[in-house]
Structures are given as structure tokens and as C-alpha cells.
Amino acid sequence: MNIEGILSYSRSLMQRVVRPGGMAIDGTIGNGHDTLYLAELVGEKGHVFGFDIQQQAIIQTEELLTKNNVAERVTLFQKGHEKLEESVPVKYHGKIQGAMFNLGYLPGGDKSIVTKPNTTIAAIDQVIRILAKGGILGLIVYPGHEEGAYERDQLMEYAKNLDQSKVNVLQYGFINQKNNPPFLLAFEKK
């Protein structure tokens, strides 16, 4: 397939903005794959801040980061992404180059624990405030379950009403796939 998939395209956006020595956020660390990816992009002198409410996600991510010798580049918080602005040190506000979120539930985890639109929207607002100019938040929405469909609807209403003089919002996704395929919302700070 020549069209880039959702996850791949989200990572392509991060490659455009996250540089060695830079700062990034993983707002939903899950199994740690995006956290590891961001840690590799920021390099030895950069840093990643990761968030998840589930201890299982923290443990799995710590193991993955240690196995790949990048654990010292990452600070993990066992708290919701709506707490990110108060958790990321103020000296880094305005310097965050990129952020990644994968909404829904922890793959292989408890499917009753899902992201919620109110906390996700609060987190998006916070990321936009602390992003560097030109920084990007890539947010993957999974509307294939009941809570995900509700979150999608709330996020789309929110995103459509953001001030275009402050942020660009892109929707990227396949429209002819069955079962409510995931899609990407990318927020670029102007």
C-alpha cells in the first residue's frame, strides 16, 4: 500500500518536528511503543514525558525503555494526561516539539478503562499551550467501541471550533474501511 497508515503517518509527523535534544510528550503510553519512538527521536540529550493512569502501562513501558537503553531519557507519570501541564516542568513549556496520544483502552489490558472526552480535551488544550511554535500533537481516535464513538463526536466538535489563527487541525483517515476505523487528528501550533 502506498498510502501511509494512521500510525505510520502519526510517526511521520513526529519525525518532522521532534529533533535530537528536543522535548516530547506521550499522553497515553500504553505498551510504550510511541514512548520508545519519541525517546529515539529526542536522542541522548532530549527528554520525553509519558502519562498513563494504569500501573500495568507504566511497568511495561519501563521494561521496554530499559531493554532499549533509553530509560534515562524518559520521565513517566502514573496519572491522567489532563495533568500534563502541571507535571511537565515549567522550564520546558513552549519547548515541546511533539506529542502523541492513542485514545481508547490499553491493548491487552482492561477494556473498561478508556480515555474520556473531557480529560482528553483538557489535555489537548494543555499540550497546545506548552507546544513550541510549529509543534504538533498527533492524536489517534478509535471510534470502534461505544465510548470511543462518543469521544470521537466530542473531539470533532471541539476540534472544528479551535481558532484557526492559533492552531491548524488536520483529520487523516480511511473512509471506506469497515468497523469505524481509527483516524488521526493532528494539531499544529501556529
Side-chain angles (χ1 to χ4, degrees):
M1 183 164 80
N2 291 317
I3 297 175
E4 237 179 315
I6 304 304
L7 295 170
S8 175
Y9 186 64
S10 180
R11 288 184 172 195
S12 291
L13 291 175
M14 292 301 106
Q15 286 176 358
R16 296 175 193 191
V17 294
V18 178
R19 299 282 174 240
M23 303 290 153
I25 292 172
D26 186 347
T28 53
I29 64 170
N31 290 315
H33 300 292
D34 288 340
T35 314
L36 174 60
Y37 181 73
L38 291 169
E40 291 169 343
L41 287 179
V42 300
E44 292 179 13
K45 296 185 178 174
H47 205 78
V48 177
F49 300 94
F51 296 83
D52 208 294
I53 61 171
Q54 295 183 74
Q55 185 176 21
Q56 177 187 351
I58 300 292
I59 292 168
Q60 289 173 187
T61 300
E62 285 174 341
E63 290 172 359
L64 182 65
L65 298 173
T66 300
K67 177 181 168 187
N68 286 276
N69 300 310
V70 297
E72 70 285 347
R73 302 177 195 176
V74 179
T75 301
L76 299 176
F77 296 98
Q78 188 177 342
K79 54 176 83 172
H81 49 219
E82 74 278 9
K83 305 277 188 190
L84 68 86
E85 190 172 23
E86 68 187 46
S87 302
V88 173
V90 174
K91 67 181 179 179
Y92 300 123
H93 292 197
K95 297 179 181 174
I96 303 297
Q97 298 170 330
M100 299 179 81
F101 287 41
N102 277 288
L103 302 181
Y105 51 81
L106 175 64
D110 183 346
K111 291 183 180 179
S112 71
I113 302 172
V114 296
T115 55
K116 305 286 186 189
N118 61 326
T119 58
T120 299
I121 289 170
I124 295 167
D125 282 338
Q126 293 173 39
V127 170
I128 291 170
R129 281 196 295 270
I130 67 173
L131 273 175
K133 191 175 253 190
I136 295 175
L137 161 60
L139 185 133
I140 299 178
V141 181
Y142 292 88
H145 55 100
E146 186 176 337
E147 295 90 353
Y150 176 69
E151 188 170 38
R152 172 204 57 213
D153 295 344
Q154 298 297 306
L155 287 170
M156 292 303 292
E157 187 63 30
Y158 161 82
K160 287 177 187 176
N161 290 300
L162 285 172
D163 185 344
Q164 69 180 14
S165 70
K166 295 179 181 172
V167 63
N168 290 319
V169 183
L170 167 77
Q171 181 180 357
Y172 181 86
F174 296 99
I175 61 173
N176 68 335
Q177 292 182 352
K178 295 178 182 175
N179 301 321
N180 297 304
F183 62 91
L184 172 72
L185 290 177
F187 302 80
E188 177 185 32
K189 185 173 182 175
K190 289 185 174 183

